[in-house]
């Protein structure tokens, strides 16, 4: 098949959605399918007022139509609910083309906790966007149930994977630090609640790996922590391997790809018992989930690195890609998913 994915999240952004879609393209190619993207790079954009490095695509409908006329894809997937995703949605509905969508970030909870926007209001927008699709791909059962509670019912399973060849235990250390070492990897922005990790009273060293709009603010506020900026590939693997515990304070992720990457490197997870960590960690024993994040960290220190690695080996990007492909709907097939 030739598959078009429309996404507001794309390089140079660094986040779990971008990594998922990049890996998906590779796995689909290995299975004999072509995946093309339309991203903000292809459009006229303006900076997001909240996150200037995230570009907002404007006047994108013509770009989508031109691609469809020229390339004639077999299937269309809209990965994000941003301006570019909305433009693609409008084109598909106007031209009666079936499409699928995916749900990556718990925006209703984020907007409620940060700005007190009622979740019912946010979910009205989410429902409007996704219920027009032939199916909404969702990573976990907990997120599916929450969406069902707000009358979003055309749901499909789409799990995630981890590259266990790249992400692995290694003795190569990029720096010597006083232990225990607590690490966090991901986008450094307000919705990730990294301050709740950095506020913990813990012996040892805290390391934050990643970039984002809140980086400079956190550097000033927490001078005793180490901030490395974004890391990639083998260098990122070495930074993961600094950790004795991976601390994940986010309450808004629908999965948390970095959890699997940490586990594949043999680093146990400490997190809140919320959507994402519940589904990735659950009762596996590869991490500790607790509303008291400090207790979760102290408990995770006692978990065997090999146990974490063995658990991560049960996840596969190839299976994730096959599930995605099975969920796709041909653009001429306008049935609704059950």
């Amino acid at each position: 098949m030739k598959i078009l994915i429309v996404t507001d999240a794309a390089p140079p952004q660094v986040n779990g959605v971008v990594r998922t879609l990049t890996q998906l393209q590779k796995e689909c190619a290995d299975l004999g399918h072509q995946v093309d993207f339309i991203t903000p790079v292809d459009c006229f954009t303006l900076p997001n007022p909240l996150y200037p490095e995230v570009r907002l695509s404007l006047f994108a409908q013509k770009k989508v139509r031109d691609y469809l006329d020229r390339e004639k894809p077999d299937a269309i997937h809209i990965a994000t609910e941003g301006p570019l995703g909305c433009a693609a949605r409008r084109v598909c509905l106007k031209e009666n083309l079936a499409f699928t969508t995916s749900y990556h970030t718990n925006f209703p909870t984020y907007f409620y906790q940060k700005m007190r926007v009622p979740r019912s209001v946010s979910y009205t927008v989410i429902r409007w966007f996704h219920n027009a699709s032939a199916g909404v791909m969702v990573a976990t059962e907990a997120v599916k149930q929450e969406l069902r509670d707000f009358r979003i019912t055309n749901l499909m399973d789409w799990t995630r994977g981890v590259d266990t060849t790249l992400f692995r235990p290694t003795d190569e250390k990029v720096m010597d630090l006083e232990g225990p070492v607590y690490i966090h990897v991901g986008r450094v922005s307000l919705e990730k609640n990294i301050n709740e990790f950095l506020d913990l009273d813990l012996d040892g060293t805290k390391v934050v790996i990643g970039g984002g709009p809140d980086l400079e603010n956190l550097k000033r506020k927490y001078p005793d922590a180490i901030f490395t900026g974004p890391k990639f590939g083998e260098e990122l693997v070495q930074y993961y391997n600094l950790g004795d515990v991976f601390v994940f304070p986010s309450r808004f992720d629908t999965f948390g790809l970095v959890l699997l990457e940490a586990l594949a490197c043999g680093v146990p997870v400490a997190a809140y018992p919320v959507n994402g960590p519940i589904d990735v960690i659950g009762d596996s024993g590869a991490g500790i989930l607790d509303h008291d994040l400090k207790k979760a960290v102290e408990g995770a220190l006692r978990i065997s690195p090999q146990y974490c690695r063995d658990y991560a080996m049960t996840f596969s990007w190839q299976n994730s890609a096959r599930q995605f492909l099975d969920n796709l709907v041909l653009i001429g097939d306008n049935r609704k998913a059950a």
Side-chain angles (χ1 to χ4, degrees):
M1 286 191 294
K2 180 183 288 187
I3 303 155
L4 170 64
I5 296 180
V6 182
T7 175
D8 296 88
Q13 297 175 45
V14 180
N15 55 51
V17 179
V18 173
R19 289 203 299 279
T20 295
L21 296 178
T22 301
Q23 189 67 34
L24 174 67
Q25 183 183 42
K26 175 183 179 300
E27 296 295 337
C28 285
D30 290 345
L31 293 169
H33 304 283
Q34 177 182 332
V35 174
D36 295 335
F37 290 103
I38 296 178
T39 76
V41 172
D42 303 306
C43 305
F44 174 78
T45 63
L46 292 175
N48 184 325
L50 296 177
Y51 302 130
E53 78 279 13
V54 175
R55 307 293 297 186
L56 301 179
S57 302
L58 304 179
F59 317 116
Q61 290 186 59
K62 185 177 186 302
K63 179 66 65 174
V64 175
R65 285 196 184 95
D66 288 347
Y67 174 90
L68 295 176
D69 292 340
R70 183 179 68 252
E71 299 295 336
K72 297 179 171 41
D74 300 295
I76 301 169
H77 180 74
I78 303 176
T80 54
E81 304 95 336
L84 184 48
C86 287
R89 177 186 179 278
R90 285 194 295 272
V91 171
C92 290
L93 292 178
K94 184 175 181 179
E95 300 188 10
N96 199 32
L97 303 176
F99 62 97
T100 54
T101 59
S102 48
Y103 183 71
H104 296 278
T105 303
N106 191 338
F107 289 117
T109 299
Y110 170 69
F111 287 130
Y112 174 73
Q113 294 201 6
K114 295 301 182 182
M115 292 173 275
R116 285 298 182 257
V117 176
R119 283 158 51 87
S120 59
V121 172
S122 296
Y123 268 114
T124 297
V125 178
I126 295 295
R127 185 168 57 250
W128 165 83
F129 184 89
H130 289 287
N131 274 0
S133 75
V136 189
M137 302 190 199
V138 182
T140 70
E141 186 57 39
V143 175
K144 284 177 67 179
Q145 186 55 55
E146 185 165 324
L147 292 175
R148 287 191 197 102
D149 291 343
F150 286 91
R151 304 194 308 281
I152 301 169
T153 57
N154 51 334
L155 304 174
M156 299 169 159
D157 292 317
W158 181 28
T159 191
R160 303 294 186 266
V162 62
D163 183 349
T164 54
T165 301
L166 174 63
F167 294 99
R168 67 201 186 280
T170 174
D171 293 330
E172 299 177 29
K173 299 291 185 184
V174 290
M175 60 180 72
D176 291 321
L177 300 174
E178 179 184 354
V181 177
Y182 315 98
I183 65 168
H184 175 80
V185 177
R187 177 177 168 78
V188 183
S189 54
L190 287 174
E191 71 271 16
K192 299 300 184 180
N193 298 326
I194 298 171
N195 60 295
E196 295 185 24
F197 160 44
L198 297 174
D199 282 336
L200 295 177
D201 181 15
L202 299 168
D203 294 329
T205 306
K206 300 170 184 171
V207 183
V208 175
I209 302 142
D214 207 29
L215 179 59
E216 294 305 317
N217 175 54
L218 291 182
K219 281 183 176 180
R220 289 190 296 270
K221 189 174 179 181
Y222 301 97
D224 293 335
I226 295 173
F227 297 87
T228 72
K231 301 296 177 183
F232 305 94
E234 287 289 344
E235 188 177 19
L236 175 58
V237 172
Q238 292 179 23
Y239 275 93
Y240 266 116
N241 276 274
L242 288 173
D244 295 296
V245 176
F246 182 88
V247 185
F248 189 74
S250 175
R251 300 176 187 267
F252 309 122
D253 286 67
T254 59
F255 190 82
L257 186 59
V258 289
L259 301 177
L260 288 181
E261 293 175 352
L263 294 172
C265 293
V267 183
V269 169
Y272 291 118
V274 295
N275 289 351
I278 286 176
D279 294 277
V280 177
I281 305 299
D283 58 1
S284 67
I288 302 294
L289 308 183
D290 199 303
H291 289 291
D292 185 329
L293 193 58
K294 183 177 180 180
K295 286 183 179 178
V297 171
E298 292 169 344
L301 281 169
R302 297 190 288 271
I303 298 174
S304 159
Q306 186 60 52
Y307 186 91
C308 298
R309 171 70 178 176
D310 291 343
Y311 178 65
M313 293 292 289
T314 64
F315 292 84
S316 163
W317 272 122
Q318 186 177 83
N319 287 342
S320 174
R322 290 185 185 279
Q323 197 172 39
F324 173 84
L325 292 167
D326 288 342
N327 287 337
L328 291 175
V329 176
L330 298 180
I331 61 175
D333 185 354
N334 283 297
R335 63 179 169 80
K336 284 287 186 179

